[in-house]
Amino acid sequence: MGVLEAAPEDVAVRKRPSPVNDFSMVVATVNGTGSQTANLALLRAFFKMGIPVNGKNIFPSNIQGLPTWYHIRVSHEGYVARRHTSEILVAFNQTTVHEDIQNLPEGGVCIYNADWRSIPQRDDITYYAVPVNQFVRDTGMKGKLRDYIANMVYVGAVAFLLDIPIEKIDEALHHHFNGRRKLVDSNMSVVRAAYDWSAANLEKQDPYRVEPMDATAGQILITGNDAAALGAVFGGVTVTAWYPITPSTSLVDALNTYLPQLRTDPETGKATYAVVQAEDELSAIGMLLGAGWAGARAMTATSGPGISLMAEFTGLGYFAEIPAVIWDIQRVGPSTGLPTRTGQGDILFTYYLGHGDTQNVVLLPATVKECFEFGSTSFDLAEQLQTPVFVLSDLDLGMNNWMSEPFTYPAEPLQRGKVLSADEVQEKGFARYKDIDGDGIPYRTIPGNEHPKAAWFARGTGHNANAVYSERPEDWVSNMARLAHKFETARELVPSPVLDEAADAEFGILAYGTTQFAIDEARNRLAAEGIKSSFMRLRALPINQDVRDFIARHKRVYVIELNRDGQMHKILQTEVPALATKLVSLAHLDGMPLTARWVVEAILEKREAVNGDR
């Protein structure tokens, strides 16, 4: 079974009420042929028509040559989760066409390259053949440009077959090419030729089409990595050290786009930031801690394998109490794993990362808006708590385009935490690791403080309240108890969970991150069958009292996540041991974004097992 999954008979196309603005399309092409431009043109054209839409790029981990699929979900109801089935197939990869056509549901549509000698035939789907070479020859383009421009052929054919106004394609390409009219025109010439040919030669025989709506007015399309970078800029980032790794590289690429525009001194023209590509992830986090110790707002972006290299320095940051922000755009592990597939397999690792007794603050964005907001929230928490903070996005959120309300400028000033000035050191004195306020959080100074008693040594060895080396048992016990108390304080500072509670709910659902979208759709399906549920989405670890209360209010709580071992389920059992028997793990990982169908079937299977035991 490939990334296109066969539909069972009970979801055949003919049984759906109306396919207008309600279908899924998958474009099968070859990686490295420039199909992303064509796919994004279709995605943004739907968006510009006011139709809720989401695109998911399923691409291989090599540079070019292997199959790639781009899923576009069009939903007048606003659903954006991946669907198990795609009714419309654009078959532009001859090596996968047999499987792709086999996985179309009954009543589906296949748009394919007419220059191929043969393709699998089915009596229960509609075929449209488009002569690609004819249009490419007319352009006179050579080499790789022929492959790039060939993808515009299916854009024109799809525009005709689905009733996409041709001017919407033009607008989408205008956005993609940043208004460079020559590039837009060269692509649009092929789109228009394919559109006109399709209008003259293809007889529409399927029910799928789109029509304008007004559901995207005032919204934007943006990737999670772009949103995170922009949020970090507004959050005051001054130092970024990183090493390239999929799927986090585009986050730093976005920083390198936004920072020169927004963080350059207008008088001197000099940059007020530093972005450094280190020799590896170990060096990157070392630079972060040095910058954080010096008072900078420092961050990196990486993925699971990079986190592995950051373990020792993370422990130093936790124990020496130095702020830093680590964005982990999760992919599928262990080892190299599936570098271009999505998952939630780093939650257990990052929460306890560091040898010895270590726990870290972890933020869990689910939307591009939260990626933007956590860009500044993560820095605030890192400095308030004086500790490394992890932000766990994932490939689906980070690299794909999502609809969102426009972001708002942060309303609150930067929260620098307990930083003493020279006058305050003179007035209050200074003991680096002393808990003065009873919250476990000490006061700190940063280099440049001119008071002679402001200096302190950021050591990773045992120390007392004055940051002086110590191996005394009482100093060790006192310091570790204070760090544990500080972590308890963090429970009230991290973002609270989001709750959607239903009266008379039969069960609760706990989840985090991008599983939200499949769960929202699944809950609606279950509610239509009279099965009510409540939903709590975690936005951070450690959990607070709201989570404990939610679990306590329900007979059963399903913990849904994208990993094999139910990692959040394990964490919650540890955090609320008295309620552990109420928690039921529903963990799934195949590298693909979660679907509503899987959620429904998984819950019904567990529900039937529980009811059967009665």
Side-chain angles (χ1 to χ4, degrees):
M1 190 72 70
V3 295
L4 295 177
E5 300 179 62
E9 293 181 0
D10 62 350
V11 291
V13 172
R14 63 186 180 191
K15 296 185 179 181
R16 298 178 59 221
S18 173
V20 177
N21 291 349
D22 186 19
F23 56 83
S24 184
M25 175 172 66
V26 64
V27 182
T29 57
V30 177
N31 195 41
T33 61
S35 57
Q36 190 76 332
T37 300
N39 299 332
L40 290 176
L42 290 172
L43 182 79
R44 194 167 291 277
F46 291 131
F47 179 75
K48 288 182 175 293
M49 291 180 68
I51 307 168
V53 66
N54 181 257
K56 300 187 185 301
N57 191 24
I58 311 301
F59 61 102
S61 57
N62 74 336
I63 296 175
Q64 63 181 10
L66 289 181
T68 183
W69 293 266
Y70 193 79
H71 296 251
I72 297 178
R73 173 84 183 269
V74 174
S75 171
H76 61 82
E77 296 178 286
Y79 294 130
V80 295
R82 182 179 70 91
R83 289 185 55 234
H84 264 80
T85 55
S86 295
E87 296 89 345
I88 301 174
L89 165 67
V90 178
F92 268 52
N93 186 348
Q94 199 165 6
T95 63
T96 65
V97 68
H98 285 76
E99 184 178 8
D100 293 342
I101 289 177
Q102 176 186 350
N103 290 327
L104 272 173
E106 178 185 347
V109 173
C110 175
I111 303 165
Y112 69 97
N113 187 341
D115 302 316
W116 297 343
R117 291 186 177 181
S118 64
I119 64 169
Q121 295 297 310
R122 286 175 51 181
D123 296 333
D124 59 349
I125 64 175
T126 301
Y127 290 90
Y128 297 106
V130 184
V132 176
N133 286 341
Q134 171 183 326
F135 302 108
V136 174
R137 281 195 303 268
D138 291 343
T139 67
M141 291 186 177
K142 306 293 183 181
K144 288 186 176 181
L145 290 177
R146 290 174 60 88
D147 293 333
Y148 296 159
I149 210 70
N151 294 311
M152 289 298 150
V153 175
Y154 67 71
V155 174
V158 169
F160 165 73
L161 290 168
L162 295 182
D163 286 341
I164 304 172
I166 199 73
E167 61 269 18
K168 296 299 180 184
I169 302 293
D170 189 288
E171 292 175 18
L173 288 172
H174 185 273
H175 179 277
H176 182 79
F177 290 117
N178 295 317
R180 289 173 288 180
R181 197 65 229 178
K182 184 176 180 180
L183 287 173
V184 175
D185 289 343
S186 64
N187 284 272
M188 280 303 300
S189 64
V190 179
V191 172
R192 287 193 175 90
Y195 184 98
D196 293 341
W197 182 93
S198 299
N201 295 276
L202 299 180
E203 181 182 352
K204 176 76 169 173
Q205 297 178 341
D206 67 89
Y208 301 104
R209 63 183 180 86
V210 292
E211 58 185 33
M213 294 178 63
D214 191 26
T216 64
Q219 293 198 344
I220 60 174
L221 272 179
I222 191 171
T223 69
N225 283 353
D226 279 334
L230 194 59
V233 173
F234 281 89
V237 63
T238 49
V239 174
T240 299
W242 70 298
Y243 186 78
I245 183 173
T246 302
S248 70
T249 298
S250 60
L251 196 161
V252 181
D253 288 343
L255 277 175
N256 280 324
T257 297
Y258 296 133
L259 283 168
Q261 300 176 42
L262 301 173
R263 299 292 295 281
T264 300
D265 188 292
E267 295 183 1
T268 65
K270 293 182 178 180
T272 59
Y273 62 88
V275 178
V276 182
Q277 180 175 330
E279 59 265 39
D280 53 31
E281 290 87 351
L282 180 64
S283 301
I285 192 170
M287 294 178 188
L288 252 63
L289 295 181
W293 170 82
R297 288 200 149 189
M299 64 168 283
T300 190
T302 187
S303 194
I307 297 293
S308 297
L309 291 175
M310 295 181 179
E312 183 177 1
F313 263 129
T314 298
L316 173 62
Y318 170 83
F319 192 60
E321 299 181 65
I322 301 172
V325 171
I326 302 102
W327 279 82
D328 177 7
I329 315 303
Q330 297 172 96
R331 66 192 211 188
V332 177
S335 189
T336 304
L338 300 175
T340 57
R341 297 289 188 265
T342 196
Q344 296 176 324
D346 296 345
I347 184 72
L348 198 61
F349 186 40
T350 52
Y351 191 45
Y352 297 110
L353 187 67
H355 57 280
D357 298 309
T358 307
Q359 278 186 284
N360 301 301
V361 173
V362 179
L363 303 185
L364 303 166
T367 66
V368 291
K369 185 176 182 181
E370 285 183 340
C371 284
F372 174 80
E373 292 171 350
F374 289 0
S376 56
T377 300
S378 58
F379 283 126
D380 286 348
L381 287 170
E383 294 205 294
Q384 286 176 299
L385 293 166
Q386 301 172 28
T387 194
V389 170
F390 289 88
V391 189
L392 265 59
S393 177
D394 62 38
L395 184 146
D396 184 24
L397 178 57
M399 294 192 70
N400 289 320
N401 280 279
W402 299 78
M403 298 180 299
S404 176
E405 298 292 331
F407 307 143
T408 56
Y409 191 92
E412 299 295 327
L414 304 183
Q415 303 297 315
R416 301 304 306 268
K418 299 180 179 182
V419 180
L420 295 176
S421 66
D423 289 341
E424 289 169 328
V425 171
Q426 179 65 31
E427 178 184 349
K428 300 179 180 180
F430 177 54
R432 175 64 182 97
Y433 294 119
K434 186 177 181 179
D435 183 6
I436 295 175
D437 301 322
D439 56 8
I441 305 172
Y443 285 81
R444 67 177 176 132
T445 60
I446 58 177
N449 188 313
E450 61 270 25
H451 197 283
K453 294 184 179 181
W456 59 283
F457 191 72
R459 60 173 68 251
T461 52
H463 47 260
N464 62 19
N466 293 307
V468 175
Y469 177 75
S470 173
E471 295 186 10
R472 292 177 179 273
E474 59 269 27
D475 285 338
W476 183 266
V477 170
S478 175
N479 195 44
M480 293 302 290
R482 180 186 57 78
L483 286 168
H485 183 48
K486 181 171 77 168
F487 200 70
E488 291 302 310
T489 300
R491 296 184 190 277
E492 305 307 317
L493 294 179
V494 300
S496 297
V498 176
L499 177 63
D500 182 11
E501 196 148 19
D504 303 320
E506 179 182 324
F507 52 83
I509 299 173
L510 265 171
Y512 57 98
T514 52
T515 57
Q516 170 193 335
F517 306 106
I519 292 169
D520 287 343
E521 188 174 353
R523 290 181 66 221
N524 289 342
R525 292 187 190 180
L526 291 168
E529 300 299 323
I531 303 173
K532 294 183 179 180
S533 63
S534 295
F535 178 41
M536 174 173 276
R537 177 169 63 82
L538 303 179
R539 298 200 299 159
L541 290 173
I543 64 169
N544 62 16
Q545 188 62 40
D546 292 343
V547 182
R548 294 182 174 90
D549 293 343
F550 177 81
I551 298 171
R553 287 195 300 270
H554 295 84
K555 293 180 179 179
R556 291 187 312 283
V557 176
Y558 297 114
V559 184
I560 297 176
E561 50 191 316
L562 282 178
N563 52 63
R564 185 194 67 181
D565 295 337
Q567 296 183 20
M568 181 64 79
H569 177 254
K570 287 180 169 63
I571 290 172
L572 292 172
Q573 285 184 315
T574 302
E575 297 270 323
V576 289
L579 303 172
T581 57
K582 291 190 172 196
L583 300 170
V584 179
S585 177
L586 295 181
H588 174 68
L589 181 65
D590 62 1
M592 301 291 285
L594 199 63
T595 67
R597 185 205 287 181
W598 185 90
V599 175
V600 169
E601 291 176 349
I603 288 176
L604 291 180
E605 181 180 351
K606 290 288 186 180
R607 179 174 179 265
E608 182 178 347
V610 171
N611 292 339
D613 291 341
R614 294 175 181 172

